[in-house]
Amino acid sequence: MSSLKTLVFFATPAHECSYLDDRDATTMFVDPRAKVDKRLYSQLTALGFRRSGSHYYRPHCEHCNACIPVRLNVQEFSPDRSQRRVQRRNNDLTFHYAPARFSETYYDLYARYIEQRHADGDMYPPSREQFASFLVEGATESYFLEMRKGNDLIGLAVVDALDDGLSAIYTVFEPREVSRSLGTMAVLWQIDEARRQNLPYLYLGYWISECRKMNYKTRFRPIEALLNGHWQRLPVPSGTNSSD
């Protein structure tokens, strides 16, 4: 089994940034031949790495530090007024953990989400192979969180288990149910699940202050950011009331 001391890393050539216009990006990857178990995955996550399928990566851009790893201290979290509304809006749903696997039901939801919500992104057009390589392959302890209205699957979140928390990998939802804010609801459920397991953190990936799609992450507080190699609590923005 690999360890931090034995890992080999590779960097991609500069390529167009997926989040910020007119910028190039470079990504650092763990050698895909490495054997990454839960312990090593947890260590990598604490160092700012993320999982995409069987790949473990983090931004490694020479002149840009816009992508900031963030995590939530779940024991200290209290939902604000908007988040409580989301919980009430979805109190008719049921939530279930399921093994991370391919199914046509899961894929149909994923395809509708990508086609209607991200047709301008690099994941379009969706494919079964893409679904499997992105959401099923790779993790040692990965689960699908099913969000159902009656028997209908309307949301699906990929959740990884770590030694010190959970990692929110990706969420898709039924485009017709956009008013439910299921992305937010999935995070709220994972916060509660981390508490049930007595885990301290929910890792939320990267926050980019200049990217509107990433702004939702800092609405969950207290949020911590990995800055200069240390996890630090981000201050509440001026004019924000954390209890609203």
Side-chain angles (χ1 to χ4, degrees), residues 19-20 50 59 65-71 204-219 221 223-227 234-235 237:
Y19 300 106
L20 300 175
R50 292 285 285 170
N65 295 307
C67 295
I68 300 174
V70 290
R71 68 185 185 186
L204 294 174
Y206 301 113
W207 169 62
I208 304 171
S209 63
E210 299 172 54
C211 180
R212 181 182 57 83
K213 292 181 180 180
M214 297 288 192
N215 288 342
Y216 77 93
K217 297 183 180 184
T218 54
R219 297 178 193 144
R221 293 189 172 273
I223 198 83
E224 297 178 1
L226 185 60
L227 301 170
L234 287 177

Side-chain angles (χ1 to χ4, degrees), residues 62-129:
E62 185 174 0
H63 301 295
C64 179
N65 295 307
C67 295
I68 300 174
V70 290
R71 68 185 185 186
L72 179 70
N73 186 318
V74 301
Q75 304 301 331
E76 298 182 31
F77 171 78
S78 180
D80 63 21
R81 185 180 306 164
S82 175
Q83 291 159 350
R84 291 194 296 271
R85 285 197 298 267
V86 171
Q87 290 173 320
R88 290 193 296 269
R89 199 178 303 143
N90 291 289
N91 63 10
D92 60 331
L93 302 186
T94 56
F95 299 83
H96 306 280
Y97 258 162
R101 62 181 180 85
F102 178 88
S103 79
E104 288 295 331
T105 300
Y106 292 157
Y107 175 71
D108 288 345
L109 178 64
Y110 171 84
R112 288 195 302 275
Y113 176 81
I114 296 298
E115 289 168 353
Q116 298 185 43
R117 301 283 296 181
H118 294 287
D120 60 343
D122 54 12
M123 295 171 65
Y124 181 87
S127 69
R128 289 168 176 79
E129 294 75 18

Side-chain angles (χ1 to χ4, degrees), residues 80-93 95 113 117 145 147 154-157 171-190 216 219-220:
D80 63 21
R81 185 180 306 164
S82 175
Q83 291 159 350
R84 291 194 296 271
R85 285 197 298 267
V86 171
Q87 290 173 320
R88 290 193 296 269
R89 199 178 303 143
N90 291 289
N91 63 10
D92 60 331
L93 302 186
F95 299 83
Y113 176 81
R117 301 283 296 181
L145 169 62
M147 293 172 270
I154 65 169
L156 190 70
T171 301
V172 302
F173 57 83
E174 175 58 58
R176 292 174 297 180
E177 299 282 359
V178 63
S179 63
R180 287 181 175 270
S181 302
L182 289 175
T184 295
M185 188 63 230
V187 173
L188 292 169
W189 191 94
Q190 290 172 76
Y216 77 93
R219 297 178 193 144
F220 296 91

Side-chain angles (χ1 to χ4, degrees), residues 12 25 33 47 81-82 86 142 149 164 168 171 189 194 226 237 242:
T12 66
R33 296 169 296 183
L47 293 173
R81 185 180 306 164
S82 175
V86 171
S142 186
K149 183 171 65 173
D164 65 345
T171 301
W189 191 94
L226 185 60
S242 60

